[in-house]
Amino acid sequence: MTMEFNQIMDEIKAVQTVIIHRHVRPDPDAYGSQLGLKNYLKLKFPEKNIFAVGEGEPSLNFIGTFDDISDDQYNEALVIVCDTANAPRISDHRFNTGKRLVKIDHHPAVDQYGDINYVNDEASSTSEIIFDFISHFNDQSLIDDSVARVLYLGIVGDTGRFLFNNTTPHTMEVASQLLKYSFNHQQELNKLGEKDAKLLPFQGYVLQNFDLNDKGFCKVKITKDVLEKFDIVANEASLFVNAIADIQGLKIWVFAVDEGTEIRCRIRSKGIVINDIANAFGGGGHPNASGVSVADWQQFEELAQALNNKL
């Protein structure tokens, strides 16, 4: 850890511009790690240009916003990609047009696309790693509400409010440090969990149309006509991936949404490794939370069968 953190800081010190990316379909940890790193670097190096780029997710835009920058900003810039396991999932294809590329992530190291790759798959989240990065340089005194707030939300998001098994004693120690700051964490957590009232009828559909077998495998299929019926878009539907998580006896589930050009499948499990199946179908992720895109519903059924065979 020490060596890579020092190398990354040396790269930051050597440039005038740092541009921070993360993955498509951003989640709270993508937002938290990216914006937490940006806000910290702006405080540490006020003379530098520090940008965070990528498309926003409407349900998470309360966490923060992103910069719209020109292509020539990448000339001689250091690019840092947070929370992204493989290069095809990086939001904004310009990530590889900078001077140097750094990867900071907590997913299993499948695609080491950076000139420097720091991966700690024992960390709960990349937001936790960013806190460790700050602490490594004894820069806790630079942390303010703008840094603490987004890192806390990133950790909360990737640990399922500290319910998932990636929550470690160190995770709780980091969270306790961040809670010392004056942001209203209860209010922020309420925002993180809130959903537009128009989405709740769709939640009812999910709860009435899951397909659970006696082995504990469950699949949810959201076709284009279902999206049209409830007047929602694919990213809104994906908010309900854990709507069925509390079913007694549930072990593995896949939540599939037709996004038009592909079917996005979010895979979850309770203590059973499923990222090997995701990898086999061209996706990836964590042992108990992964994702993959398939071309059609026939391929989805092949994926579902492979997951069911795990049981």
Side-chain angles (χ1 to χ4, degrees):
M1 178 172 77
T2 301
M3 182 178 69
E4 288 100 334
F5 279 176
N6 290 340
Q7 289 175 336
I8 293 169
M9 185 58 79
D10 288 343
E11 294 283 350
I12 293 169
K13 290 178 177 178
V15 298
Q16 179 59 33
T17 301
V18 179
I19 305 172
I20 308 169
H21 289 240
R22 40 77 182 156
H23 59 78
V24 296
R25 304 183 185 90
D27 57 10
D29 187 34
Y31 268 70
S33 57
Q34 185 187 27
L35 295 174
L37 179 59
K38 173 189 172 180
N39 295 342
Y40 157 65
L41 292 179
K42 287 179 68 176
L43 293 166
K44 186 175 178 68
F45 301 107
E47 76 284 359
K48 293 184 184 293
N49 303 313
I50 313 292
F51 302 111
V53 301
E55 87 289 356
E57 160 55 47
S59 67
L60 297 177
N61 281 342
F62 75 92
I63 299 177
T65 57
F66 302 97
D67 301 302
D68 185 10
I69 63 175
S70 62
D71 293 353
D72 57 12
Q73 294 275 13
Y74 284 81
N75 297 337
E76 301 303 307
L78 172 68
V79 177
I80 302 176
V81 181
C82 292
D83 197 41
T84 312
N86 51 329
R89 293 202 69 226
I90 300 173
S91 177
D92 195 325
H93 65 278
R94 297 176 295 175
F95 73 90
N96 59 359
T97 62
K99 181 180 181 181
R100 294 273 284 171
L101 180 62
V102 171
K103 172 187 180 182
I104 302 176
D105 190 30
H106 73 125
H107 298 89
V110 178
D111 180 5
Q112 299 291 64
Y113 50 77
D115 298 304
I116 299 173
N117 300 282
Y118 177 78
V119 176
N120 178 7
D121 60 9
E122 294 182 0
S124 70
S125 55
T126 307
S127 295
E128 181 180 311
I129 292 173
I130 298 302
F131 181 87
D132 290 340
F133 180 75
I134 296 170
S135 299
H136 175 73
F137 298 102
N138 295 313
D139 281 343
Q140 292 98 323
S141 62
L142 289 178
I143 296 178
D144 63 6
D145 289 351
S146 75
V147 177
R149 171 181 168 271
V150 295
L151 292 182
Y152 182 74
L153 288 172
I155 293 170
V156 167
D158 253 27
T159 60
R161 303 188 180 221
F162 308 107
L163 293 175
F164 298 163
N165 62 3
N166 61 346
T167 304
T168 66
H170 180 64
T171 304
M172 302 303 286
E173 290 169 5
V174 172
S176 71
Q177 292 294 314
L178 296 172
L179 282 174
K180 293 178 180 178
Y181 295 86
S182 62
F183 67 95
N184 188 328
H185 71 276
Q186 183 177 19
Q187 184 179 73
E188 296 297 330
L189 292 184
N190 287 341
K191 291 178 183 177
L192 198 60
E194 287 175 351
K195 295 180 176 66
D196 192 315
K198 76 165 190 172
L199 301 179
L200 297 188
F202 172 74
Q203 182 178 19
Y205 173 86
V206 172
L207 295 175
Q208 294 180 48
N209 291 276
F210 59 84
D211 184 0
L212 175 69
N213 69 19
D214 56 5
K215 293 164 64 175
F217 173 69
C218 185
K219 56 186 178 182
V220 178
K221 297 171 60 175
I222 307 301
T223 57
K224 283 191 288 187
D225 61 314
V226 172
L227 294 176
E228 292 169 0
K229 176 182 177 181
F230 291 95
D231 190 26
I232 64 172
V233 294
N235 68 305
E236 291 175 325
S238 69
L239 298 174
F240 296 93
V241 61
N242 290 320
I244 60 169
D246 294 331
I247 297 175
Q248 188 174 18
L250 180 65
K251 296 176 181 176
I252 297 175
W253 67 103
V254 56
F255 190 95
V257 182
D258 191 336
E259 297 191 347
T261 56
E262 61 186 13
I263 297 169
R264 183 65 183 171
C265 306
R266 291 166 175 84
I267 310 167
R268 302 291 185 266
S269 75
K270 296 182 179 181
I272 299 170
V273 173
I274 44 80
N275 60 344
D276 55 343
I277 302 296
N279 291 335
F281 280 80
H286 299 290
N288 304 129
S290 294
V292 61
S293 294
V294 297
D296 51 40
W297 289 112
Q298 180 179 343
Q299 191 177 14
F300 165 77
E301 292 299 337
E302 295 171 5
L303 171 67
Q305 186 59 52
L307 292 168
N308 185 59
N309 289 344
K310 275 276 181 175
L311 302 175

